Amino acid sequence: MQVHKSYRIWMTQRSGSTLLCEGLSQTGVAGLPGEHFNLMDAKNLREKYGLETYAELKAEIHRLGTGENGIFGIKHSRHATIYDGWTDELRLLQGLDPSAGDQAVFADLFPNCQHIFLTRRNKIRQAVSWWKAIKDGVWHLKQGENQSFSEDFWEDNYVPDALTHLYKEVMLKECGIQEYFSRYDIQPLTVVYEDMLDDFPATIQRILDYLGIEETPKIVPEKLLARTANAESGKWVQRFRKDIQEGMGQKIW
């Protein structure tokens, strides 16, 4: 697959990246963005794909994320240990100098690359959503689906230390992303989760315009996924809002 345009979606967990990628894929003109760098339980990209050379990895990753029109998309986060791991791996496989910067490492893999920063305004709600998904194992709901839990679930699984950890992780990942943009003078398109939910088709069109894709979408996508938040998780939000400010002289929220 010959790639002539690429884009990277920089995201954090529970920011709507799966919804966004499904919508972009549905258009039929924006590639097939997904977590093509997600190692899961593999040690590196070579083990993940069962391939050994850079040329093989490049071909496979492009195959997974590229549409018929040659546009390639991918989403990933900025977890330093993981990100630096596969950056070092790609640098080694390409035979680049160890001092070669990230942009040099990715120049061949992401030709004519543009960047999308997907963020969520309310980080408290984001941390609660992430922790709830970890505990109940439900990461996505289709439209029309819903969940129900016993009262014990909400009481037994409220762990402020875990929520604080996830809150910090989201904030640090976004700081790392912003530092990366500054270092390489990247001016991304910012997509905000809350705005995306308010008008999903307009968000998709805004991205297509940013990418310079003039082809008419085969489908104008609607939201396929429903919110996993409910009244009970909303109580976690308010409880955590208070707990995280415990000991502060002045309350912020």
Side-chain angles (χ1 to χ4, degrees), residues 197-250:
L197 294 189
D198 285 342
D199 195 341
F200 189 62
T203 297
I204 296 297
Q205 186 58 56
R206 181 168 166 249
I207 292 173
L208 298 183
D209 292 342
Y210 168 74
L211 295 175
I213 299 174
E214 298 180 352
E215 300 166 78
T216 302
K218 297 177 182 179
I219 295 176
V220 178
E222 296 290 341
K223 287 186 294 186
L224 297 177
L225 302 177
R227 292 175 183 264
T228 58
N230 54 32
E232 294 301 323
S233 63
K235 293 179 183 178
W236 270 8
V237 169
Q238 298 308 319
R239 189 173 174 182
F240 182 46
R241 172 181 65 84
K242 296 176 182 178
D243 286 345
I244 202 171
Q245 298 178 88
E246 185 69 31
M248 294 176 64
Q250 296 180 339

Side-chain angles (χ1 to χ4, degrees), residues 43-217:
K43 292 185 296 185
N44 51 44
L45 292 171
R46 285 166 291 176
E47 181 179 293
K48 172 183 172 70
Y49 290 112
L51 302 170
E52 287 299 325
T53 69
Y54 171 73
E56 291 173 327
L57 281 174
K58 173 184 172 182
E60 178 63 11
I61 291 170
H62 280 178
R63 183 189 69 81
L64 292 171
T66 308
E68 296 177 356
N69 58 355
I71 294 179
F72 170 77
I74 192 169
K75 72 169 181 174
H76 58 76
S77 188
R78 188 65 179 86
H79 188 295
T81 302
I82 298 171
Y83 184 93
D84 292 347
W86 42 255
T87 302
D88 288 343
E89 181 183 8
L90 292 172
R91 184 183 290 108
L92 176 66
L93 290 176
Q94 292 181 74
L96 297 174
D97 187 274
S99 63
D102 289 12
Q103 291 294 80
V105 173
F106 297 119
D108 180 62
L109 191 60
F110 301 135
N112 299 316
C113 187
Q114 291 174 273
H115 301 262
I116 298 168
F117 174 48
L118 179 60
T119 186
R120 184 167 177 167
R121 289 193 186 98
N122 195 319
K123 300 298 192 287
I124 295 288
R125 290 188 178 277
Q126 186 172 358
V128 166
S129 177
W130 192 356
W131 181 240
K132 175 179 174 293
I134 289 172
K135 298 308 295 182
D136 67 21
V138 177
W139 293 86
H140 306 107
L141 288 175
K142 295 181 180 179
Q143 289 291 348
E145 292 182 337
N146 52 59
Q147 297 173 276
S148 61
F149 302 95
S150 67
E151 291 184 9
D152 289 344
F153 173 85
W154 299 106
E155 187 59 36
D156 294 346
N157 290 296
Y158 179 79
V159 184
D161 286 349
L163 288 165
T164 300
H165 173 91
L166 297 179
Y167 175 81
K168 290 179 179 179
E169 186 167 335
V170 167
M171 298 294 287
L172 287 168
K173 284 180 177 177
E174 289 207 352
C175 287
I177 291 169
Q178 295 293 352
E179 191 277 335
Y180 186 95
F181 291 157
S182 296
R183 186 193 316 160
Y184 293 107
D185 195 25
I186 294 169
Q187 297 181 352
L189 174 70
T190 297
V191 175
V192 179
Y193 168 82
E194 288 85 351
D195 296 340
M196 178 173 68
L197 294 189
D198 285 342
D199 195 341
F200 189 62
T203 297
I204 296 297
Q205 186 58 56
R206 181 168 166 249
I207 292 173
L208 298 183
D209 292 342
Y210 168 74
L211 295 175
I213 299 174
E214 298 180 352
E215 300 166 78
T216 302

